Amino acid sequence: MDTSVPSVSERRVHVVPLGYERDRIVEPLRRHGADVAYLLVDAPDRDAARGDVDFDAAQAVDPGDIRIDPDGLTAYQRDAWAAVAEFAEVRAIPVAHADVYDVLGVTTTVAARHRASAEDGDRLFGNVSTGPRIAAVGVALACMIVGARPYSVEPERHRHDRREEPLTTGIERTVDLPIYPMDAPTTDQVAVLGRLHDRAEGNLTTEKWNLIEWARERELSFLREAGESRTAKYRALETHVLSPLRERGYVDLEDIGRSDTVRLTETGRRVFFAFKHKLDGR
């Protein structure tokens, strides 16, 4: 999770399904200084359209005021709600946990409310550990769409030995999940990530011109239309490779003297391993 200090004007806003958990809901919010916690309370029969959020009702203290049956909550869920309210603003939203589109829509609506995609907006996080699997998928997809930070919380211990008995028994139904195209890096971008990875493994720094010469030897496509001008080659590298990678947090640039050193971030390293299959046969 991103734990860097927010600016004076921005707040840490968390979206957390109120599932059958207590510590995995409360403790991450406490430890990471949540300012606002949206608790997604399961309401399978709610009347509102998918993704709709009544922000005025969400601030109610009494579950009955947000059209949630208090008797439907367990004692530890109510305790989690009260515990979070001691250090953060709690805003409860009824949502159908078993409807991935409802969870996704509610989460993106919250993101829009807090301008999470804007530079001057709040910082949004999504807990993907505290609800059923479908709710987790909805929160995770929403975070990817709006550029928020999803996080997972590993429990210290389980209630029973999973080596002796399974977590669940039987099945009720199978649910189709939405498919969203991911903005995967291009083959050229993956190749450059691989070059940076190999250089870093050898404790070698990498300048832009080193990347250009290496890419020319391997006939990477981004240089084919650049011509022979040195300036044009730098522009092609920046436009087609480095700028997109930098925007996604895969690389960093550092000014050293008259040269720009390109460094692979930890995220960029993981992305390289995830997509290096694109380089098969090259």
Side-chain angles (χ1 to χ4, degrees):
M1 186 190 300
D2 181 1
T3 58
S4 57
V5 178
S7 67
V8 173
S9 61
E10 72 177 343
R11 295 179 295 173
R12 291 192 179 99
V13 178
H14 289 241
V15 174
V16 186
L18 185 65
Y20 295 106
E21 299 277 355
R22 196 277 183 192
D23 291 347
R24 289 207 288 178
I25 292 171
V26 177
E27 294 310 316
L29 299 174
R30 190 197 310 276
R31 294 182 185 183
H32 298 290
D35 297 298
V36 182
Y38 283 90
L39 299 182
L40 307 188
V41 184
D42 191 25
D45 300 321
R46 80 185 191 114
D47 295 330
R50 285 172 168 171
D52 278 4
V53 177
D54 185 339
F55 286 99
D56 291 332
Q59 300 185 57
V61 175
D62 191 316
D65 293 338
I66 55 172
R67 295 183 294 279
I68 293 172
D69 179 10
D71 295 332
L73 300 178
T74 67
Y76 58 82
Q77 286 174 326
R78 290 195 293 271
D79 176 65
W81 187 325
V84 175
E86 293 177 357
F87 56 83
E89 296 177 36
V90 174
R91 300 177 185 175
I93 302 173
V95 58
H97 283 182
D99 187 336
V100 67
Y101 292 98
D102 197 16
V103 177
L104 191 159
V106 164
T107 305
T108 55
T109 300
V110 169
R113 175 81 169 192
H114 288 270
R115 294 169 46 79
S117 299
E119 290 186 5
D120 59 347
D122 293 329
R123 197 176 300 179
L124 187 71
F125 304 88
N127 189 329
V128 300
S129 304
T130 57
R133 294 290 186 269
I134 293 177
V137 170
V139 172
L141 284 172
C143 286
M144 294 178 190
I145 291 169
V146 302
R149 171 68 67 181
Y151 63 93
S152 177
V153 185
E154 295 299 321
E156 184 177 352
R157 62 182 182 274
H158 292 267
R159 287 295 182 187
H160 67 270
D161 191 343
R162 293 174 297 167
R163 295 170 298 180
E164 298 294 333
E165 55 182 308
L167 289 176
T168 62
T169 58
I171 66 168
E172 182 175 342
R173 65 184 181 277
T174 301
V175 179
D176 289 332
L177 299 177
I179 298 175
Y180 287 91
M182 300 300 294
D183 189 13
T186 66
T187 301
D188 282 359
Q189 292 166 3
V190 175
V192 168
L193 291 175
R195 170 65 172 176
L196 294 171
H197 173 266
D198 292 343
R199 298 272 295 179
E201 288 290 290
N203 293 317
L204 300 172
T205 59
T206 307
E207 299 175 354
K208 286 185 178 181
W209 187 249
N210 175 282
L211 288 175
I212 290 172
E213 290 187 318
W214 174 85
R216 180 179 54 80
E217 292 174 359
R218 283 154 184 78
E219 299 181 342
L220 295 193
S221 61
F222 76 90
L223 286 179
R224 290 175 188 165
E225 305 297 328
E228 294 302 317
S229 165
R230 188 182 182 102
T231 300
K233 291 177 180 178
Y234 272 109
R235 186 181 302 115
L237 175 68
E238 180 65 29
T239 300
H240 299 291
V241 179
L242 293 186
S243 181
L245 293 180
R246 192 165 57 249
E247 289 174 0
R248 299 169 188 165
Y250 300 164
V251 302
D252 288 328
L253 261 60
E254 180 180 353
D255 292 332
I256 299 180
R258 300 177 61 184
S259 301
D260 284 331
T261 296
V262 186
R263 299 186 185 278
L264 185 69
T265 67
E266 179 59 24
T267 300
R269 187 181 72 84
R270 294 175 186 150
V271 169
F272 166 64
F273 286 120
F275 290 98
K276 68 176 183 177
H277 63 275
K278 286 193 169 191
L279 305 181
D280 290 347
R282 293 195 55 156

